[in-house]
Amino acid sequence: MESHVLEAAEDAGTVEIEWLPFELRPAPRPLLEPRGDHLRVDWTQHVYRRALALGIEIHLPRYQPRSTLPLAACLWAQEQGRLRDFKHALYEAFFCEGEDIATDRELARAAGHAGLEPDAVIAAAYSPERIAQLLEIRREAEAAGVRGVPSLLADNGESHWGMGGLERLLAGEPLVPRQ
């Protein structure tokens, strides 16, 4: 959801962003229960309010899939210059349509919507090199203090994760690190 805010600032030339995938719950870490209290409470108190303010459609996902395959596919889509379109297609499938985006079918469908070759995106998702790249990105992010998404790491070393970080940064307010 925050990518819309970040993309608008990026398009306006206000900020320069390095987009990196970060897997929140890689195996064997447990996934959240889609209808568990944590998600329902957080979404009711924060996510839906933010989405409404931004004019963005979003629904509590029916699934909590591993994100390894979609994130590896995002690395490839970025190499093809189509990351934004591919991310948007995955967002629509997951947060608007309630689909499990960690399936070959949904990765291929997102690829088609983004103007990418479906078979190539599936091959990229399973690529050992891209999986290794994800692991390295996660190691570097965790070493830098990343604990959630979206995360902002400013040039001055300040960090923030969660909603509203970019607005705080652009308003000259301190970022709020979360533990």
Side-chain angles (χ1 to χ4, degrees), residues 23-73:
E23 190 170 14
L24 277 178
R25 294 170 193 86
R29 293 181 191 163
L31 296 171
L32 295 175
E33 287 295 323
R35 298 292 180 238
D37 285 343
H38 171 73
L39 281 177
R40 286 186 308 117
V41 169
D42 188 48
W43 279 62
T44 301
Q45 292 180 357
H46 305 289
V47 175
Y48 287 129
R49 184 177 306 131
R50 176 83 169 152
L52 185 61
L54 294 172
I56 296 171
E57 180 181 357
I58 193 167
H59 306 282
L60 182 63
R62 297 185 306 184
Y63 304 96
Q64 283 294 308
R66 297 280 176 210
S67 56
T68 308
L69 297 176
L71 292 177

Side-chain angles (χ1 to χ4, degrees), residues 125-146:
Y126 289 92
S127 162
E129 294 81 16
R130 286 192 181 77
I131 302 294
Q133 189 178 357
L134 281 178
L135 291 172
E136 182 57 29
I137 290 169
R138 185 178 52 216
R139 274 192 287 275
E140 290 175 9
E142 287 174 343
V146 172

Side-chain angles (χ1 to χ4, degrees), residues 1-2 12 30-31 43 51 62-63 65 68 83 92 102 107 131-132 135 146 148 154 159 161-162 169 171 175:
M1 183 169 58
E2 293 295 297
L31 296 171
W43 279 62
R62 297 185 306 184
Y63 304 96
T68 308
L83 177 61
E92 289 290 323
L107 290 172
I131 302 294
L135 291 172
V146 172
S159 68
W161 71 267
L169 183 68
L175 293 178

